[in-house]
């Protein structure tokens, strides 16, 4: 990896006075912001219209993948602190998986490493309360004094029958493009599966949109399954895609049926290709952000081979929610049956992570992925600044590639997560440190299988978007490790990962 020192004298003095790394804790806090480092997330206003042609989208995707921020490393003398909002999206992996299965490579700009890593199961211990556990580990990589560090965050799970009741508003795209196989038919199957899993305290409304929006079913108790299934069956393909109208009507329905004690969520099911109404990203994002401030969260469920990935991701980010991609009936089962509690409920709002590196032990670092989730360090404890929303039983993982100083010893880094209670908005934090002696001697020996899977998933994403390996790993290396790990974990998702890596290597 390439490291470019960025130090300036004033920044060095400021950052060396940052808060020292600490031990494990989970306490409410109102402390002052940490010193500045990093860069603020780009404004959504700078994003282009959603209706741009596919060639322009590909050009922008390639430009993003080649952006220096993708591979830029930070000199710890100047930038001791790395801060980002949590991201539980997995749509990038799901969409890439579909394209590779059809014999095509995903566009580099649509490959987000954090969404590849977060697709896979983890082995982090759950907290006893409603906060997070923080897990930090790592291992040295061959040559040049480098290492990979993993920061893992985990919330406590909940049984489906124990979760809070949910108010769900389905906003369903029924435009002409949704008539293609694997779009509206898959959406309807997904909704039928979800309806069958809902409990007696849940309620559902259905909004359809094409050229304009229509309320197909007002808020209805989930116990009236016959009416709900009938409403889903009435969904039929129409004309253009007025995403703005659909979300506006959907949020109006959600607001009318709002219950303070329930999880109030809009679930958008679409290919994300807006071509009518307000098709500028900023106009749609503003409406979503306003609703999110009223405790109505958003889940974006993407479908279709031609898929507006960027718009759906930005909607999820602005709507205090998540973006997933459903490409098959198995995907629908995972999202709406196996992960139902995580799909509809929340454990934490505006969650952010901050990693403080010890400059006497770590020369430089690079956060792998999270490019559009990075925030300024002073925003970490500013609870007015937006973060990510995390559901029960959810894990979030971030990998750092670091260069160690010669003879590095003592503490390497401290990772802290800050979040707000989803109901009271009371802030809390938890933290964990990693010492140099705790580093594994090798990525592949003495580390957990799940750590190794994370390295393979991140390495695969890096290969797809830059054609360069992570930690010197080639595509053949990644495929071999994935095959070995599939056997040791007995995880079908890892078996599929090995197949996808081999498929990608054959296409490049």
């Amino acid at each position: 990896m390439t490291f470019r020192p960025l130090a300036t004298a004033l920044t060095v003095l400021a950052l060396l006075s940052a808060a020292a790394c600490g031990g494990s804790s989970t306490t409410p806090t109102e402390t002052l912001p940490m010193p500045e480092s990093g860069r603020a997330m780009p404004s959504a206003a700078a994003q282009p219209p959603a209706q741009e042609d596919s060639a322009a989208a590909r050009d922008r995707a390639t430009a993003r993948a080649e952006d220096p921020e993708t591979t830029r490393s930070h000199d710890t003398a100047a930038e001791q602190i790395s801060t980002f909002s949590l991201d539980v999206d997995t749509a990038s992996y799901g969409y890439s998986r579909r394209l590779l299965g059809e014999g095509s490579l995903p566009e580099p700009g649509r490959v987000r490493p954090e969404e590849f890593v977060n697709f896979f199961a983890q082995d982090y211990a759950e907290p006893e309360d409603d906060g997070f556990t923080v897990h930090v580990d790592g291992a040295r990589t061959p040559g040049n004094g480098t290492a990979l560090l993993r920061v893992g965050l985990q919330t406590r799970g909940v049984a489906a029958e124990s979760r809070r009741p949910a108010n769900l508003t389905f906003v369903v795209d029924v435009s002409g493009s949704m008539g293609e196989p694997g779009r509206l038919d898959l959406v309807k199957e997904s909704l039928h599966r979800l309806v069958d899993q809902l409990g007696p305290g849940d309620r559902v409304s259905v909004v359809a949109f094409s050229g304009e929006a229509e309320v197909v079913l007002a808020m209805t108790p989930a116990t009236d399954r016959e009416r709900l299934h009938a409403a889903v069956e009435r969904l039929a393909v129409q004309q253009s895609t007025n995403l703005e109208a659909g979300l506006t009507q959907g949020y109006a329905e959600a607001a009318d049926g709002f219950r303070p004690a329930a999880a109030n969520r809009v679930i958008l099911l679409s290919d994300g290709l807006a071509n009518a109404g307000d098709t500028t990203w900023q106009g749609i994002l503003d409406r979503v952000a306003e609703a999110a401030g009223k405790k109505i969260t958003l889940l974006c469920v993407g479908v279709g081979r031609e898929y507006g990935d960027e718009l759906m991701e930005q909607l999820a980010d602005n709507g205090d929610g998540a973006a997933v991609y459903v490409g098959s009936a198995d995907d629908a089962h995972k999202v709406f049956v196996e992960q139902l509690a995580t799909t509809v409920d929340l454990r934490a709002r505006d969650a952010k992570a901050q990693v403080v590196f010890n400059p006497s032990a770590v020369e430089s670092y690079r956060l792998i992925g999270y490019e559009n989730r990075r925030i300024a360090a002073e925003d970490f404890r500013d609870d007015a600044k937006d973060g990510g929303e995390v559901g029960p039983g959810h894990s979030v993982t971030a990998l750092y590639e670091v260069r160690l100083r010669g003879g590095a010893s003592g503490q390497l880094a401290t990772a802290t997560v800050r979040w707000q209670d989803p109901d009271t908005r009371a802030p809390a934090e938890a933290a964990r440190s990693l010492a140099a002696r705790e580093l594994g001697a090798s990525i592949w020996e003495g580390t957990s299988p799940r750590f190794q899977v994370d390295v393979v998933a991140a390495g695969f994403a890096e290969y797809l978007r830059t054609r360069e390996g992570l930690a010197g790993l080639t595509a053949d290396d990644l495929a071999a490790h994935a095959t070995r790990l599939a056997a040791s974990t007995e995880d079908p998702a890892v078996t599929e990962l090995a197949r996808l890596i081999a498929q990608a290597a054959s296409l490049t």
Side-chain angles (χ1 to χ4, degrees), residues 93 116 120 453 456-457 460 479 482 492-502:
Y93 182 81
F116 275 53
F120 294 91
V453 170
V456 172
F460 182 36
V494 182
T495 301
E496 182 182 50
L497 175 62
R499 178 181 59 79
L500 293 175
I501 295 171

Side-chain angles (χ1 to χ4, degrees), residues 167 203 219 253-262 264 294-296:
N167 267 22
R203 299 193 301 178
M219 198 65 75
E253 287 295 306
D256 286 346
F258 185 88
R259 288 186 290 167
N264 296 271
K294 300 175 181 177
K295 296 186 178 181
I296 299 173

Side-chain angles (χ1 to χ4, degrees), residues 13-268:
L13 291 173
L15 287 173
L16 290 178
S17 66
C21 299
S24 176
S25 65
T26 306
T27 54
T29 179
E30 290 296 338
T31 53
L32 294 173
M34 287 189 174
E36 180 178 5
S37 99
R39 306 191 320 179
M41 183 169 65
S43 167
Q47 302 290 354
Q51 74 271 24
E52 67 181 350
D53 61 50
S54 58
R58 284 194 298 272
D59 289 344
R60 287 198 310 108
T62 300
R64 281 194 310 277
E66 295 174 349
D67 191 304
E69 188 63 27
T70 299
T71 56
R72 185 168 76 96
S73 293
H74 301 260
D75 188 324
T76 55
E79 297 182 72
Q80 180 184 353
I81 305 171
S82 170
T83 311
F84 59 95
S85 61
L86 301 196
D87 188 354
V88 297
D89 297 350
T90 60
S92 178
Y93 182 81
Y95 183 57
S96 298
R97 178 180 59 177
R98 171 172 179 163
L99 292 182
L100 287 165
E102 295 176 351
S104 300
L105 290 168
E107 296 164 9
R110 293 192 177 192
V111 176
R112 294 183 287 277
E114 69 275 16
E115 297 185 24
F116 275 53
V117 173
N118 285 323
F119 179 86
F120 294 91
Q122 301 295 342
D123 55 2
Y124 311 134
E126 292 189 356
E128 296 180 357
D129 57 17
D130 289 341
F132 287 85
T133 53
V134 182
H135 180 95
V136 189
D137 60 1
R140 297 177 184 271
T141 57
N144 298 323
T146 57
L148 291 177
L149 269 56
R150 178 177 68 157
V151 175
L153 308 171
Q154 178 73 49
T155 59
R156 180 173 57 86
V158 62
E161 62 273 12
S162 302
R163 65 171 174 80
R164 77 173 77 191
N167 267 22
L168 305 178
T169 301
F170 301 142
V171 177
V172 184
D173 186 347
V174 293
S175 61
S177 63
M178 292 292 288
E180 297 179 9
R183 298 197 184 192
L184 186 57
D185 56 340
L186 184 55
V187 164
K188 292 169 71 171
E189 180 174 355
S190 300
L191 293 181
H192 283 310
R193 287 174 183 256
L194 178 54
V195 166
D196 286 337
Q197 298 301 309
L198 296 177
D202 301 326
R203 299 193 301 178
V204 171
S205 62
V206 181
V207 172
F209 70 92
S210 56
E212 54 188 38
E214 171 194 5
V215 178
V216 178
L217 183 68
M219 198 65 75
T220 300
T223 50
D224 195 349
R225 299 192 195 282
E226 186 174 344
R227 284 186 68 198
L228 294 175
H229 283 302
V232 172
E233 277 305 306
R234 288 201 300 274
L235 298 171
V237 173
Q238 297 181 34
Q239 297 297 323
S240 55
T241 312
N242 192 335
L243 181 55
E244 176 210 7
L247 284 172
T248 299
Q249 186 65 61
Y251 276 113
E253 287 295 306
D256 286 346
F258 185 88
R259 288 186 290 167
N264 296 271
R265 184 169 286 244
V266 169
I267 300 179
L268 170 66

